[in-house]
Amino acid sequence: MSAALPVLTANDFASDQDIRWCPGCGDYSILAQMKKMLPSLGLPLEQIVFISGIGCSSRFPYYMNTYGMHSIHGRAPALATGLRVARPDLKVFVITGDGDSLSIGGNHFIHLLRRNVNLTLVLFNNRIYGLTKGQYSPTSPEGQVTKSTPMGAVDHPLNPISIALGAEASFIARSVDSNIKHLAATLYRAAQHRGTSVVEVYQNCNVFNDGAFSYAQDKATRDDTTLELEHGKPLIFGKNRDKGIRLNGLHPEVVSLADGSVSHDDLLFHDEKAESTLVHLLAKMRHPQFPEPIGVFRDIEIPIFEDQVRGQLDSAIAKRGAGDLNKLFRSGDTWEVA
Amino acid sequence: MSAALPVLTANDFASDQDIRWCPGCGDYSILAQMKKMLPSLGLPLEQIVFISGIGCSSRFPYYMNTYGMHSIHGRAPALATGLRVARPDLKVFVITGDGDSLSIGGNHFIHLLRRNVNLTLVLFNNRIYGLTKGQYSPTSPEGQVTKSTPMGAVDHPLNPISIALGAEASFIARSVDSNIKHLAATLYRAAQHRGTSVVEVYQNCNVFNDGAFSYAQDKATRDDTTLELEHGKPLIFGKNRDKGIRLNGLHPEVVSLADGSVSHDDLLFHDEKAESTLVHLLAKMRHPQFPEPIGVFRDIEIPIFEDQVRGQLDSAIAKRGAGDLNKLFRSGDTWEVA
Amino acid sequence: MSTDTPQAHAAKQVQVVSGITVRLAGDSGDGMQLLGTQLTNTSALAGNDVATFPDFPAEIRAPRGTRAGVSGFQVQFAAHEVHTPGDTLDALVAMNPAALVTNIGDLRKGGLLIVNEDSFEDKDLKLAKLTTSPLDEPWVENYRLAKVPMTKLTRTAVQSLGLGVKEADRCRNFFAMGMVYWLYGRDLDATLRFIQAKFSKLPDIQEANERALRAGWAFGETTELFGSSYQVEPATLPKGTYRNIMGNQAMAWGLMTAAHLSGKEMFYGSYPITPASDILHELSKYKNFGICTVQAEDEIAAICSTIGAAYGGAMGVTTSSGPGIALKAEAMGLAVMIELPLLVIDVQRGGPSTGLPTKTEQADLLQLLFGRNGEAPVPVLAARSPGDCFDTAVEAWRIATQFMVPVVILSDGYIANGSEPWAIPDVNSLKPITITHPTGEAGEKFLPYSRDADLARPWAIPGTPELMHRVGGLEKQDGTGDVSYDAANHEKMVHIRAQKVANVAKIIPPQEVIGPSEGELLVLSWGGTYGACRTAVLKGIEEGRSVAHCHLRHMNPFPSNLGQILGNYESVLIPELNLGQLRMLIRAKYLIDAVGYNRVQGKPFSVSELVEKIAEMTSGKQNMASSKLTSRAG
Amino acid sequence: MSTDTPQAHAAKQVQVVSGITVRLAGDSGDGMQLLGTQLTNTSALAGNDVATFPDFPAEIRAPRGTRAGVSGFQVQFAAHEVHTPGDTLDALVAMNPAALVTNIGDLRKGGLLIVNEDSFEDKDLKLAKLTTSPLDEPWVENYRLAKVPMTKLTRTAVQSLGLGVKEADRCRNFFAMGMVYWLYGRDLDATLRFIQAKFSKLPDIQEANERALRAGWAFGETTELFGSSYQVEPATLPKGTYRNIMGNQAMAWGLMTAAHLSGKEMFYGSYPITPASDILHELSKYKNFGICTVQAEDEIAAICSTIGAAYGGAMGVTTSSGPGIALKAEAMGLAVMIELPLLVIDVQRGGPSTGLPTKTEQADLLQLLFGRNGEAPVPVLAARSPGDCFDTAVEAWRIATQFMVPVVILSDGYIANGSEPWAIPDVNSLKPITITHPTGEAGEKFLPYSRDADLARPWAIPGTPELMHRVGGLEKQDGTGDVSYDAANHEKMVHIRAQKVANVAKIIPPQEVIGPSEGELLVLSWGGTYGACRTAVLKGIEEGRSVAHCHLRHMNPFPSNLGQILGNYESVLIPELNLGQLRMLIRAKYLIDAVGYNRVQGKPFSVSELVEKIAEMTSGKQNMASSKLTSRAG
Ligand SMILES: Cc1ncc(C[n+]2csc(CCOP(=O)(O)OP(=O)(O)O)c2C)c(N)n1
Ligand SMILES: Cc1ncc(C[n+]2csc(CCOP(=O)(O)OP(=O)(O)O)c2C)c(N)n1
Ligand code: SF4
Ligand code: SF4
Ligand SMILES: [Mg+2]
Ligand SMILES: [Mg+2]
């Protein structure tokens, strides 16, 4: 980061490539918000790398005037891990789809999180395989009729937040493609986090799964169907902010704030630093029984992988001195032939 | 299951193969308890299939006088899924290690659980790679010194129970190799479950990771370091059953029952059918801060994959009649050349 | 147009031609694939032989009007046998400027160029990255240009229905279709039936599309734009009931038939990937045929679940394309070791890596033969055309079960999405596939790795009393199947596995050759290049050249008479859509200096380039050639 | 014993012999590997040339005393150059009955057989599945049997230290060692130093082991059991400082040296697998050399993390064995497409599938060459001996960076675990590996797929201003690297990638041949069979046969003079531990009828079988042969 850095704009982040998503695809909005957010990080273009797998969403890096790699299906987290260990000076984003990250790439996703590599992973969840033209994905709801499930999907869908939490991710968030302010703010928060930040974005695939998230996208309904998490604040939602979430034992319940019988203090308060049980409970709040939380579920600071890997190098050098090959080769039993 | 089934004994389940684990390995005990438990299922030998991946633990099928497959590293859940869909009449066990199931096989593990295939998976957790002679595994604690981590492991370990819960497993349990009665009972409960039952077994690798679970294995300490879960009962532990777990908000805390100031009713009660938040909370109780729960964390009934897959075949036949290839080939536009 | 050319431009004149190649090109949203399929079916119903080549963009919906968004569908229909969709176009229908500029290169000089002139406005040109209209370019003179205001005419035709502009304009493609149908004397009935079925729930749209189709026909009849219409007589195909079939569909149906013939349930584990996914989609439809399809979490799980099912006694099938096949390598090795029957189908696409997902190629042959650790041979078959996928699937399963071995089928994107008329077999008359599972006797030791005459081991399935046994990836002791680290045993087992695969040659029908049984040149081909090679060789023979064609289905093992055949020609030419993979195998095995003709452009060979190559390698004097040969053999 | 044989059995007689082959065999708990390593080092320190072959059970700890639990370590040390650990044994030390019966087959008639007679009790026999003691069998007469009560003697030696029986008995192996040292006139010093270092924290154990070692030596000197002791003079090796080195260690050190020579940080992503894991273990030790090792979650993540690091500008290395390499196939294709330097190292083991994890084989060659979808060529190098792993690693990285291409190194279980004296290079005198990363100019369009004279593209790394670019697995447009579906471009890129790999031949040193430069027979070999082939050919030449040896390091591309060399011999014999993989490549490329000598037994060739084969294929009359050759060339 040079001191004399020119101030960048969203446009500076646009590459010269034609964008090849279907008209109306939610991916456009995520791209736009990313470009809008990036200048606020104050990083020059060359310090940023986007790594993706395969899928519609994974074409993202081509559209960014940064370094980037459109890798192979499901493996972006592994590629990014190697890059970050080799180059901890770079800002790395992983772009992935619900199939890319949770079907073929599920294992790398978990291991990325347990290592807590310092990067931001944006999971474009459209609950469908877009690029391969409409098969069900691990986030497709049971019963979903697709090309590969003409009588409906039978597997229980995976919840990306639950999986991330199962792997003890240090930063977990959710946003919605069309909720652009919220999205930009969430991406910004994620980019600020030290460690792996996972952002699930509800993304509309208007060709193969149109309206999968309409409840959370439509301006008319979204205030009642989503709940914006705010650190330290009680869980309140609704167009008139007249509903809240209260804890009953280990169970959340929706309560009305309209008649004043329940006060804010009775409600569950959000705490991004809380032990994971709160996050778990938030992850389990699903539409239509509950409003779905959006925003930052969790943001805790724990050691990052590449710091520790490289830290061991440093402490080895501190302890044993920088390695000397000639010395190493001649250590132990040697003999001379004259 | 024929009516005139001879009553089998543990010995009937032993194959003619020499057992090739290190003397003193915890695997022996798990094998013994499995053999002891199996007759109680009332199934003939030929109805049972053991499928494993690769690892010390994965040699298990060779020692069972049933059908079996020692497959490839990490893939046993996928093999077993295919087998169960093709042959729902068979009783299937998957035998796997911590590396096999959570490192290379992590993705299949999750997907097995979300599908809820009807089988029992026994995860031999020795927190090490045994067969390849002592590298760290995904369950090795941070800082563990192994052949591949001479300065200590740096990744945060995965908790098998948390991962299973993240994938919304319908049956989750834990036991300990040396706690043989508990182990046999837990395996029995798992085998009775309809759906995927996961049993994590703390297993001692006395060669490469001796004593990793000594706190839970030693008769002297185990009553204080483990807590036997009982459905519908309060969480009580300790040699004199004088300690309990109480809920404080969303947090468990250890309380003394010795002075009578806390009554059983104040304690957290175990409920195998509870919403997952309780399971989450139990999974997070780790030694030495907490006693580690053993027994059945969760046992809920949800549809199983192969029932649904095959159910679609049945309902397709019911709706459209059994398929007729000659008819199919002649449907749509055809023409005659005479 | 294969042999004849139009002679005069008198209106309403009908010219009889032996064949026509036409390409419909437009934006991917314009429904070109649908039109193409209709034209194909209608032509087939008219008794022509047909072959097709759909070519669509890699993107789901590339931006409208751009070059990247152009979707094309080519059909050749003829009064004689055709093996390819045709090299050069007799007619091109271009719905917009992007479609015109990206396709005009394939239109023959003097060919008919029909454009929707309403879509050549400035904004359309700009989307196609053009500054001036190509219709104003001098080179347009090379073609017979028909500028048709399709948009306007369609709007007029559907006006009274009160549709919105967008909906009205969507009917344009049927207007174009109507013109094409008039031009080639095609019957509207089948397409009208199709419209009725497809839009039965939207009566307005149905009516509009019907009107557009009829309006197109009427326009063709009325206008002076087209010199003449053309008539293509029915081809004389072998007797039977025919339908049009696509490659992936034929593969799926072949698999279903193999399952039926062997009395097996089919377990199909797959993971979507272009261009193989349609096999998954097709099979998923037929649950009432007892087909279990599982979309696995990845390709590794797909093949592993299939192996699990095979262990249980099911017919296990997995499909993918190159990158996914690479992921299956380790599990294929397991299947080789545990000797279970299984089908692994690779619908090849352009590589390496993600490559060109929607393009065709033949560059996975060596991967399938050798892409596993250790000596892990498997039989490999390659389908040659859409309909041939059916037969190949049945034969592959026959081999897999007789020899207890995983078998590979190679298809490719060209075959998979292409279509051709298919003589529908009577399933009841097909030879059954006989499979026996052993049963056990108490007290007798079961030997899971004992061998029959073919070296196959018994397929003992769980649930069978007394046959309990364990299989796995470690080396097996001969007979018992126990784990064995013994040196001599390992070598023996390696040889048994190799010999078992070699034994397949015993049941492979002798390799056939078309053309002279000895001579100057043998064209040796495999897979989807069949059509182009066959057509080119026939042309060569027609021209009096000493050339023959040998097309392989069996890539491993080779038919046992192949070496003998190769020895009968002075040169061997191996055209492949790769850098010479079969060529390497042939050279290594038979030590002949086979010549390669290799293109790696993501598209099939053109017949003409092969004709040229054949000309280059033959003297053109058949008699001299054969006398030369005699002296060489003497 | 290579050339001489013992002559008389007078006590304390010293016989001078040119070389000795001895194997130490016992239970895997008996520390045979440790003994073997000590004997090797001591012999090397004595100036002998040495080669070793450790052979241990697949199980971690197979049950004590069983045949499955036997662990062996073979050493050949000699006064001349040795290339193999020896075919037949001059002496066998067997610590128990299981070790005796599983190893006796390799002891030459008249060889020395030393057993611990205390471990031939009934329970020991039972564990070895024997009913009677082999020491009572008539065939024992074939050998010079020395029954030594090692357990008792060791207990006596350490008695005064008051150790428990178990601990005392653990010193047995050093007692045996002491005897062996006496027998071959080896110095105790190095081993005493080793014991001191190893047991410095357990003074009692240290003392006990020292005593046992000395007691063994004293026993040898005192007893009448051994006819004589033997003396092996120092070999005349090239001048320099030597150490003993194992293959996996040499590979690790070679990688570290390559990193150093190129001024690169090394990123090493791997997943444990036998027999490659020791490279991971070795590299993990050297964090103060700036080596980042990451044990990934699987082999796919291992190679992918490596590619990510390579994109970032690091030296990326990944290692595995056959099954794990299979899993890396798809990602290797990506590396081919994005053209980054990278090393993929396969330490081969017995296959297919899980196969024989602890045994050696050469059957992954074709997998590494062809096991990827599409045309995805990479350079492939093979190491020939433990020490050669060092040079191969350095050369491979040189190629990878000069040509911007992933490079494969083949090693095998035999090389990986074997050891030999290694002339330690002075790192400062090695040729640097020059790597440049481009820098950018504002306003200039950067072309990430532009080419230098070798066809390498620029290695532009993130963080460099103005060079922002995107890479990926889709086909790239020549120059710009943008995604391109263009037909001609695809073909061009396929050819560029192939030509780039072919260009490597330009910098490969000309292939060398040992023996006559033309003649009857050329033995063409690769990889770990080097030692056996070299020794056999030298023997053939000694016998006056017209035979030469050509050993390949470069499996792809071949050295450019290889074809010419092959043409200089009447026959070519290709010995391989597979079913003929190099043979196929040679036949295909050079159209010569190369003959294979193939064994797939999980173990290296013996020299004698190759000697025999060479004899079979040569006339034994060198002069006649070369005259024949002359006429043939004429
Ligand atoms: C190894 C491999 N398997 C399969 C594919 C085919 N494929 C490409 S993208 C994709 C899934 C895309 O779904 P998702 O990740 O949800 O991304 P989306 O297109 O919906 O954004 C698949 C199966 C591939 N390219 N590579
Ligand atoms: C594809 C592949 N990669 C790696 C290996 C080597 N390998 C065998 S077992 C194993 C790990 C064993 O650890 P775990 O699963 O914990 O089983 P344990 O031996 O501890 O019971 C590894 C890495 C292999 N056999 N196959
Ligand atoms: S298919 Fe769906 S996800 Fe893909 S670009 Fe089109 S709308 Fe977007
Ligand atoms: S290495 Fe460990 S896990 Fe493996 S058999 Fe030995 S003690 Fe058991
Ligand atoms: Mg998706
Ligand atoms: Mg383990």
Side-chain angles (χ1 to χ4, degrees), chain D residues 159-217:
Chain D
Q159 200 164 21
S160 64
L161 292 168
L163 298 179
V165 173
K166 241 181 156 172
E167 282 168 322
D169 286 357
R170 279 229 190 90
C171 304
R172 254 186 326 221
N173 55 348
F174 281 104
F175 182 92
M177 183 89 304
M179 276 192 299
V180 170
Y181 277 20
W182 174 82
L183 206 53
Y184 300 115
R186 305 275 90 142
D187 204 279
L188 299 186
D189 279 3
T191 301
L192 287 169
R193 275 202 308 277
F194 167 82
I195 291 174
Q196 274 150 26
K198 176 148 179 133
F199 301 105
S200 64
K201 283 184 190 138
L202 303 162
D204 272 7
I205 306 289
Q206 178 192 322
E207 171 74 15
N209 281 320
E210 284 180 20
R211 283 198 203 175
L213 182 71
R214 292 186 203 277
W217 171 284

Side-chain angles (χ1 to χ4, degrees), chain C residues 193-206:
Chain C
R193 274 202 310 276
F194 167 83
I195 292 173
Q196 273 149 29
K198 173 144 182 138
F199 301 104
S200 64
K201 284 184 191 139
L202 303 163
D204 271 9
I205 305 291
Q206 176 192 325

